[in-house]
């Protein structure tokens, strides 16, 4: 509004006859041409987007202020701004703002000249000698007004603090504007001598523009991802650090979101990298359009993205942003005539709630992202208790190595009892860690840790070694009982597992049939294809196999698909449903029937009462395990139990019924 009024008033005062007179001169048209070209070729600074820099039109428009004053300079500048705005597809409000911002800054420069310059009345003014100081003052006035106007707008738009916007790149901006403005008096000299001298400025300005653009481009490449044009890790670190120090002073929160595409690898592998690349570009575009100006979207490599929220109210708003990002990706993407459904998992960490610096913020967002992925919740906020890397866990991890060397692992044994004769028909070996400070730790406290580490093979070896040497001792004592050992997903994914088992059996001179290996249903659901070769190789050795924790996931027996499994262990959560849930009773009952029909044994886990024992027996379970019979026992106790109950005469697991 102010710019509009100022331009209108000054044009009115200038008068239309003089304008018409000027329009008859070629000089004005040449100048207009130079200003338009200059508007289309701004000199960018590394941190400002390309079309926000100092325009190379400045020498000409400023020369117009010196020569004719505000009305002519303002009018030509506004015309050029509108043309450039249309050419680059800027929004109308943005173009209007740019035009007004020029008029106001020019107005300040013009006022300085009028105040301190000689009274030239209406004749064009050609500055010389000491007058150049007045021109310098006017240039300073222009620069400051322009800076404040533009940065106020940007700061409001990006919700960034004005002070940091004003000082950003200030040295470089001063320099570039100084160079451009210093050319203005020379343009004036050219204007007074011959109109045709003016276009010659095109060449030095082009040189300036090209070299500046090249260096900015280089700088841009260092800070941006080539494929998507998003910020890269380097720029993300820089911006996060800026945001953190800002947040510290002004006491607000910073959010860091880490986003990972689910199943992107499949797209890349099946459809090829060019398609994958285009998909990533689409993802980048959608993400950029779902955040506020001032937020930064970065690509960290592969299918991993990060979003920095330099100012976020609370965890709820951070979650909102994350949800918006996910929704933006949920829309199917059309590529090569095919629709792709992409899903993403997002982890959120906040400053100062979760971490004080970039490193830790990133790590915590990463943890949250994995939790989101694992739980399929899509979005997760960092929570220390879900952090496997929390300090307690990390120190436990350090101890694990020692535990394996010092022999702190121990096997407990839980009897498996036949439900018709109440005889012990086998033992399940369950690992414990006798931690010197923390006491006896159950497997869920450290097996997941083992799975994440390079110690896994040593662990498998140790468990088998402990168990098989116990079996050998029992055999020497005349207690011939088969023993089951549990295997985790990672252990089953290890192609050397059959060799480790063979070597263990050979070392203790044991036949393969004394050993049964339990594979959790969870593993069968997620990794069936990957572990099938290992399972077949194990079966070839002659060890028998059991499907553990049946009923916890979405596994159906049909998916066993001919795998040589002899026993199905019905999970305790499933077993518990028999008692007070009539539907559960029917479901469990028919599952047990099916197990029998398929020629396998059903074993009930977690049997805690006589009632449940009787129930599972009547439903056709062959054996059961649980505290009703005996809890997991230390080796010595297990030996006593075996002696008392007299182990089976034959140690074989009865292979199919
Ligand atoms: P699992 O193979 O299903 O083992 C049965 C779990 O049920 C054992 O927990 C056992 O102590 C518990 N349990 C026994 N009686 C009852 C009862 O009456 N009621 C209830 N609710 N639970 C009962 P534990 O020993 O803590 O083992 C947990 C899991 O850790 C095992 O589940 C197995 O998947 C894994 N695991 C145990 N030992 C090893 C090992 O040596 N290697 C690997 N990879 N995993 C192991
Ligand atoms: Mg088990
Ligand atoms: Mg189980």
């Amino acid at each position: 509004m102010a710019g509009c009024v100022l331009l209108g008033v000054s044009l009115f005062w200038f008068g239309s006859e003089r304008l018409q007179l000027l329009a008859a001169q070629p000089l004005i048209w040449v100048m207009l041409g130079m200003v338009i070209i200059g508007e289309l070729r701004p000199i960018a600074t590394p941190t400002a987007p390309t079309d926000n820099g100092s325009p190379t039109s400045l020498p000409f428009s400023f020369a117009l202020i010196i020569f004719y004053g505000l009305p002519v300079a303002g009018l030509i500048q506004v015309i050029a701004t509108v043309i450039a705005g249309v050419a680059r597809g800027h929004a109308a409000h943005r173009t209007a703002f740019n035009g007004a911002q020029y008029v106001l800054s020019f107005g300040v420069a013009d006022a300085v000249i009028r105040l301190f310059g000689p009274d030239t009345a209406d004749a064009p003014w050609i500055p010389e000698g000491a007058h150049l100081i007045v021109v310098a003052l006017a240039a300073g006035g222009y620069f400051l007004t322009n800076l404040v106007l533009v940065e106020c707008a940007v700061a409001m738009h990006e919700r960034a603090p004005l002070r940091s916007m004003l000082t950003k790149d200030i040295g470089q901006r001063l320099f570039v504007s100084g160079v451009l403005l210093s050319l203005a008096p020379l343009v004036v000299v050219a204007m007074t001598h011959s109109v045709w001298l003016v276009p010659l400025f095109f060449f030095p300005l082009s040189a300036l523009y090209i070299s500046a653009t090249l260096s900015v481009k280089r700088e841009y490449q260092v800070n941006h991802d080539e494929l998507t044009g998003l910020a890269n890790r380097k720029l993300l670190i820089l911006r996060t650090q800026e945001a953190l120090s800002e947040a510290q002073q002004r006491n607000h929160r910073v959010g860091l979101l880490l986003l990972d595409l689910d199943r992107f690898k499949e797209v890349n592998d099946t459809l090829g990298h060019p398609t994958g690349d285009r998909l990533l570009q689409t993802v980048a575009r959608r993400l950029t359009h779902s955040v506020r100006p001032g937020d930064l979207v970065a690509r960290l490599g592969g299918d991993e993205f990060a979003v920095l929220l330099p100012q976020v109210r609370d965890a709820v708003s951070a979650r909102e942003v994350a949800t918006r990002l996910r929704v933006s990706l949920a829309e199917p993407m059309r590529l090569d005539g095919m629709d792709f459904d992409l899903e993403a998992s997002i982890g959120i960490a906040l400053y100062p709630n979760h971490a004080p610096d970039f490193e830790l913020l990133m790590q915590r967002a990463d943890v949250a992202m994995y939790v989101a992925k694992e739980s399929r919740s899509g979005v997760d906020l960092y929570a220390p208790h879900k952090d496997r890397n929390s300090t307690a866990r990390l120190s436990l991890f350090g101890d694990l190595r020692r535990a394996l060397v010092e022999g702190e692992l121990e096997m407990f044994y839980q009897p498996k009892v036949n439900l018709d004769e109440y005889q012990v028909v086998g033992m399940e070996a369950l690992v414990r860690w006798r931690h010197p400070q923390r006491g006896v730790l159950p497997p869920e406290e450290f097996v997941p840790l083992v799975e994440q580490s390079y110690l896994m093979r040593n662990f498998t070896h140790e468990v088998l070694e402990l168990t098989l040497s116990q079996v050998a001792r029992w055999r020497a004592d005349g207690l011939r009982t088969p023993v089951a050992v549990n295997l985790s997903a990672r252990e089953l994914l290890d192609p050397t597992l059959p060799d480790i088992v063979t070597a263990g059996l050979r070392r203790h001179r044991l036949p393969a049939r004394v050993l049964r290996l339990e594979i959790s249903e969870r593993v069968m659901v997620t990794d069936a294809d990957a572990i099938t070769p290992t399972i077949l190789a194990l079966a070839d050795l002659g060890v028998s196999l059991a499907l553990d924790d049946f009923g916890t996931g979405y596994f159906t027996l049909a998916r066993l698909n001919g795998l040589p499994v002899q026993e199905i262990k019905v999970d305790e959560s499933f077993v518990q449903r028999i008692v007070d849930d009539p539907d559960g009773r029917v479901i469990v009952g028919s599952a047990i029937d099916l197990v029998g029909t398929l020629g396998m044994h059903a074993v009930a886990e977690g049997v805690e009462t006589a009632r449940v024992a009787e129930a599972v027996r009547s439903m056709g379970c062959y054996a059961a395990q649980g505290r009703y019979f005996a809890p997991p026992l230390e080796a010595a106790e297990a030996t006593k139990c075996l002696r008392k109950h007299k182990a089976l005469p034959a140690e074989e697991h009865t292979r199919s019924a």
Side-chain angles (χ1 to χ4, degrees), residues 428 486 518 548:
E428 175 173 7
N486 293 283
E518 296 192 0
D548 203 353

Side-chain angles (χ1 to χ4, degrees), residues 364 367 371 380-390 393:
R364 305 251 134 123
V367 168
V371 174
D380 212 282
L381 185 73
Y382 176 77
H385 68 271
K386 294 187 200 157
D387 190 349
R388 290 188 182 164
N389 292 320
S390 66
R393 291 247 184 195

Side-chain angles (χ1 to χ4, degrees), residues 290-356:
S290 334
V291 297
R292 281 201 311 222
D295 298 344
L296 183 78
V297 181
R299 177 167 174 238
L300 303 175
D303 58 351
E304 231 183 39
F305 297 84
V307 178
L308 169 71
L309 312 175
Q311 245 191 86
V312 63
R313 194 165 3 103
D314 49 21
V316 178
S317 353
R319 262 183 195 279
E320 269 165 25
V321 178
T323 311
R324 204 168 342 114
L325 291 170
R326 285 193 81 227
V327 169
S328 79
L329 297 182
E331 176 118 337
M333 306 194 184
R334 206 166 180 85
L335 280 183
D336 298 338
M338 267 183 287
D339 279 336
F340 294 93
D341 281 317
L342 272 191
E343 269 181 29
S345 301
I346 303 181
I348 307 170
L350 297 179
Y351 166 91
N353 314 40
H354 303 138

Side-chain angles (χ1 to χ4, degrees), residues 428 518 548-549 569 571-572 605:
E428 175 173 7
E518 296 192 0
D548 203 353
D549 307 328
K569 299 190 81 171
D571 192 71
E572 61 240 29
E605 288 196 285

Side-chain angles (χ1 to χ4, degrees), residues 57-385:
S57 58
L58 205 48
F60 306 100
S61 49
F62 206 72
L64 286 170
I65 302 179
I66 300 173
F67 204 68
Y68 295 113
L70 173 65
V72 179
L75 183 63
I76 288 194
Q77 181 64 56
V78 166
I79 294 171
T81 304
V82 170
I83 292 175
V86 171
R88 303 162 114 184
H90 286 171
H93 70 268
R94 181 169 171 182
T95 305
F97 173 82
N98 285 141
Q101 149 226 328
Y102 274 125
V103 171
L104 292 174
S105 317
F106 286 180
V108 171
D110 189 57
V112 171
I113 292 173
R114 276 166 196 281
L115 271 176
F116 303 110
D119 186 13
T120 51
D122 299 331
W125 180 51
I126 302 148
E128 277 171 71
H131 288 154
L132 284 173
I133 296 175
V134 177
V135 173
L137 273 176
Y142 161 82
F143 180 78
L144 277 178
T145 316
N146 191 56
L147 182 74
V148 171
L149 285 176
V150 173
E151 296 312 327
C152 271
V154 175
M156 278 157 76
H157 186 240
E158 298 190 359
R159 296 164 197 241
L162 180 61
R163 188 152 42 87
S164 76
M165 296 305 290
L166 284 176
T167 49
K168 201 167 81 183
D169 296 334
I170 188 70
Q172 189 164 4
R173 285 200 276 185
L174 247 173
F175 176 73
V176 172
S177 300
V179 168
L180 293 173
L181 288 166
S182 69
L183 284 175
L186 301 179
V187 176
V188 172
V189 172
M191 283 162 77
T192 51
H193 278 267
S194 158
V195 113
W196 304 117
L197 287 178
V198 174
L200 289 180
F201 281 96
F202 178 78
F203 299 100
L205 283 171
S206 302
L208 188 66
Y209 171 76
I210 290 170
S211 72
T213 310
L214 273 181
S215 77
V216 167
K217 207 186 234 168
R218 223 167 290 134
E219 180 104 20
Y220 185 88
Q221 280 167 349
V222 174
N223 285 316
H224 291 81
D225 168 51
E226 205 179 335
L227 179 67
T228 58
L230 295 177
N232 62 14
R233 184 181 292 267
K234 191 166 169 242
L235 187 56
L236 178 70
I237 295 177
L238 198 79
R239 285 293 166 81
T240 310
Q241 278 159 353
E242 283 171 9
L244 290 180
S245 64
E246 191 60 45
Q248 208 165 22
Q249 284 165 21
R250 298 166 27 120
N251 239 331
H252 61 234
R253 289 191 173 76
V254 176
L256 188 66
L257 276 55
L258 216 59
L259 181 151
D260 192 273
L261 300 179
D262 302 339
R263 299 187 313 270
F264 174 74
K265 200 175 163 301
E266 286 168 35
V267 173
N268 230 5
D269 290 351
T270 45
L271 297 161
H273 287 266
T275 310
D277 283 356
R278 266 184 302 143
L279 208 61
L280 287 175
Q281 286 165 338
T282 312
V283 168
R285 219 169 313 122
R286 290 195 182 177
L287 294 180
T288 319
H289 285 133
S290 334
V291 297
R292 281 201 311 222
D295 298 344
L296 183 78
V297 181
R299 177 167 174 238
L300 303 175
D303 58 351
E304 231 183 39
F305 297 84
V307 178
L308 169 71
L309 312 175
Q311 245 191 86
V312 63
R313 194 165 3 103
D314 49 21
V316 178
S317 353
R319 262 183 195 279
E320 269 165 25
V321 178
T323 311
R324 204 168 342 114
L325 291 170
R326 285 193 81 227
V327 169
S328 79
L329 297 182
E331 176 118 337
M333 306 194 184
R334 206 166 180 85
L335 280 183
D336 298 338
M338 267 183 287
D339 279 336
F340 294 93
D341 281 317
L342 272 191
E343 269 181 29
S345 301
I346 303 181
I348 307 170
L350 297 179
Y351 166 91
N353 314 40
H354 303 138
D357 57 22
F358 174 80
E359 275 304 310
L360 215 52
L361 210 52
M362 193 76 173
Q363 197 185 318
R364 305 251 134 123
D366 193 56
V367 168
M369 189 192 74
Y370 270 100
V371 174
K373 212 173 235 243
E374 260 180 19
S375 64
R376 294 173 202 274
S377 61
V379 176
D380 212 282
L381 185 73
Y382 176 77
H385 68 271

